[in-house]
């Protein structure tokens, strides 16, 4: 029982430490890992797994290297924001894969990007023909940015000279039957307004709603809860 409790505590300490470290790296790195950040994540995972599994190893054996790596990462992050040259060395440079509708085979070979991978990325962006693309840039995080020709872009309301109201950012007011009063107040509405909107849509209360979104203009998206689940 004591060993089980010890393992639980050690695991929680390491888990919290890693989460705190990732938060310190910034939100961008969570979704877009540079090569150096990916290596860091793999090393931290390996360092944390050892003291989690072997209770005979002191906890500091895993904590100190993790803190050291996170400190080095923070220093490198500061250096990359201050020096363009250092950022290029550490993170690399973007590569132009398609320019004026023409595929650069040398850049594809240098980045070990196959034709199938390129076409897959283009399809994910909604383009089936490379000739439709003005520029396709392989970013340092591995994502492909696609910039189509002007005549391939959908027209904007400004180009069509159409006046469109700003909807604003929709906020979650009801999530899985739970009312988020803070968001309702932030939108400038009260519970009476909400009850009236729910009644208009045949809902007796928030407990019957799976998701309710309201934007700044008062537009509502409502998904009823599946009561059979």
């Amino acid at each position: 029982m004591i060993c089980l409790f010890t393992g639980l505590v050690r695991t929680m300490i390491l888990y919290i430490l890693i989460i705190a470290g990732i938060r310190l790296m910034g939100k961008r790195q969570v979704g877009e890992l540079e090569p150096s950040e990916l290596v860091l994540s793999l090393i931290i995972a390996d360092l944390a797994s050892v003291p989690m599994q072997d209770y005979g190893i002191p906890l500091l054996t895993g904590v100190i290297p993790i803190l050291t790596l996170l400190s080095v990462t923070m220093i490198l992050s500061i250096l990359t924001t201050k020096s363009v040259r250092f950022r290029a060395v550490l993170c690399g440079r973007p590569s132009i894969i398609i320019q004026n509708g023409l595929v650069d085979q040398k850049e594809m070979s240098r980045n070990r990007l196959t034709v199938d991978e390129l076409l897959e990325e283009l399809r994910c962006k909604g383009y089936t023909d490379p000739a439709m693309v003005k520029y396709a840039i392989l970013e340092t995080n591995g994502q492909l940015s696609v910039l189509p020709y002007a005549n391939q872009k959908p027209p904007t309301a400004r180009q069509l000279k159409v006046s469109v109201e700003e909807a604003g950012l929709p906020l979650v007011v009801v999530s899985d039957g739970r009312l988020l009063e803070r968001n309702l107040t932030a939108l400038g509405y009260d519970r009476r307004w909400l009850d009236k909107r729910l009644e208009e849509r045949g809902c007796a209360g928030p407990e019957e709603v799976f998701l309710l979104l309201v934007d700044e203009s008062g537009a509502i998206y409502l998904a009823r809860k599946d009561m059979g689940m």
Side-chain angles (χ1 to χ4, degrees):
M1 188 67 179
I2 296 177
C3 291
L4 181 62
F5 179 76
T6 302
L8 178 63
V9 172
R10 289 162 67 99
T11 301
M12 291 303 299
I13 291 174
L14 290 168
Y15 177 76
I16 294 172
L17 177 63
I18 294 172
I19 292 295
I22 292 176
R23 290 295 301 272
L24 286 174
M25 289 167 59
K27 289 186 177 180
R28 184 188 66 81
Q29 281 83 351
V30 175
E32 304 173 4
L33 291 178
E34 299 287 352
S36 60
E37 296 158 355
L38 176 61
V39 172
L40 172 70
S41 302
L42 295 174
I43 293 176
I44 287 179
D46 188 55
L47 289 172
S49 66
V50 175
M52 280 185 189
Q53 298 173 1
D54 192 344
Y55 301 157
I57 298 177
L59 186 59
L60 289 177
T61 304
V63 171
I64 292 177
I66 291 175
L67 290 176
T68 302
L69 287 172
L70 290 175
S71 300
V72 171
T73 301
M74 293 301 296
I75 294 172
L76 292 177
S77 179
I78 294 173
L79 289 175
T80 55
T81 59
K82 300 294 184 180
S83 172
V84 175
R85 186 172 299 177
F86 182 79
R87 181 165 62 248
V89 172
L90 185 65
C91 303
R93 296 180 183 274
S95 299
I96 299 178
I97 304 299
I98 297 177
Q99 185 170 2
N100 297 325
L102 300 176
V103 178
D104 192 327
Q105 299 179 36
K106 290 184 178 180
E107 284 298 308
M108 287 186 61
S109 177
R110 188 172 69 84
N111 290 278
R112 293 179 293 281
L113 181 68
T114 66
V115 173
D116 291 337
E117 291 171 338
L118 175 62
L119 294 178
E120 179 182 353
E121 290 290 338
L122 291 177
R123 288 195 298 270
C124 289
K125 298 296 190 299
Y127 301 97
T128 56
D129 187 354
M132 301 166 62
V133 178
K134 177 72 173 178
Y135 293 105
I137 304 171
L138 185 63
E139 307 293 354
T140 57
N141 61 3
Q143 299 292 322
L144 188 71
S145 299
V146 179
L147 306 175
Y149 281 98
N151 60 6
Q152 297 293 337
K153 296 180 181 178
T156 64
R158 181 178 180 181
Q159 292 170 332
L160 295 175
K161 297 181 180 181
V162 177
S163 178
V164 181
E165 293 185 4
E166 293 288 347
L169 178 68
L171 297 179
V172 179
V173 175
V174 178
S175 175
D176 198 10
R178 297 188 302 274
L179 173 62
L180 306 181
E181 295 186 8
R182 180 179 177 181
N183 289 348
L184 183 63
T185 303
L187 290 165
Y189 301 118
D190 55 16
R191 182 61 186 267
R192 184 181 303 175
W193 177 89
L194 176 63
D195 290 339
K196 186 175 180 180
R197 302 288 87 77
L198 293 178
E199 183 180 354
E200 291 173 353
R201 289 161 175 77
C203 296
E207 60 276 358
E208 295 185 5
V209 178
F210 178 72
L211 176 63
L212 176 64
L213 297 174
V214 183
D215 63 24
E216 296 174 7
S217 66
I220 294 175
Y221 169 82
L222 185 145
R224 296 177 65 105
K225 184 183 290 188
D226 187 355
M227 306 305 291
M229 293 182 63

